[in-house]
Amino acid sequence: MEKFVEQALLYDFYGELLTKRQQQVYESVVLEDYSLSEVAEELGISRQGVHDMIRRCNMTLEDYEQKLHLVNKFVNIQKQVQEISRLADEHGVEEIGRISSRILEEL
């Protein structure tokens, strides 16, 4: 999985478990693509401080995933439902295709 997509998924699942300050910094740097210098200047901290916080946030988010496996389960379910949808389309079973499409939308 691409690193940015992985980081975004981890943040989507576990971001609320970070402090508000960590969320602010992580969103700015990782999700909104601000530079470390821009965030450091805005918050009145060093560039190295921002870098360290991002590194700690990544480690924390990855630690949650190692323990809970929510992102992994989500990705696996998504793949399985896509396969169900493909098979339903292939075999002309429209109702199953509609149900699997609704499931994918909700994921």
Side-chain angles (χ1 to χ4, degrees):
M1 187 178 334
E2 184 184 327
K3 185 67 175 171
F4 175 75
V5 173
E6 182 181 350
Q7 288 177 308
L9 280 172
L10 287 171
Y11 186 77
D12 284 346
F13 278 85
Y14 307 115
E16 289 295 318
L17 300 172
L18 299 174
T19 67
K20 292 297 178 195
R21 180 115 166 146
Q22 288 173 323
Q23 290 175 25
Q24 178 185 17
V25 170
Y26 197 84
E27 287 175 10
S28 295
V29 174
V30 177
L31 304 179
E32 297 171 7
D33 203 28
Y34 283 86
S35 72
L36 297 177
S37 299
E38 289 172 317
V39 175
E41 184 177 321
E42 180 182 317
L43 298 176
I45 60 177
S46 70
R47 185 181 174 284
Q48 183 64 43
V50 173
H51 179 269
D52 290 345
M53 186 177 293
I54 295 298
R55 189 175 48 77
R56 282 193 309 275
C57 287
N58 280 330
M59 288 173 33
T60 300
L61 296 172
E62 289 168 6
D63 188 48
Y64 286 133
E65 177 59 15
Q66 286 179 343
K67 292 176 181 168
L68 300 172
H69 308 287
L70 296 177
V71 173
N72 187 43
K73 288 176 186 175
F74 169 80
V75 170
N76 286 334
I77 290 169
Q78 190 177 40
K79 286 178 185 176
Q80 291 172 11
V81 173
Q82 287 171 341
E83 179 65 11
I84 290 169
S85 181
R86 186 190 66 76
L87 290 171
D89 290 344
E90 192 175 286
H91 295 287
V93 185
E94 293 177 19
E95 183 62 24
I96 293 173
R98 282 193 295 273
I99 293 169
S100 61
S101 292
R102 284 195 306 258
I103 292 170
L104 285 172
E105 287 174 11
E106 289 183 27
L107 289 176

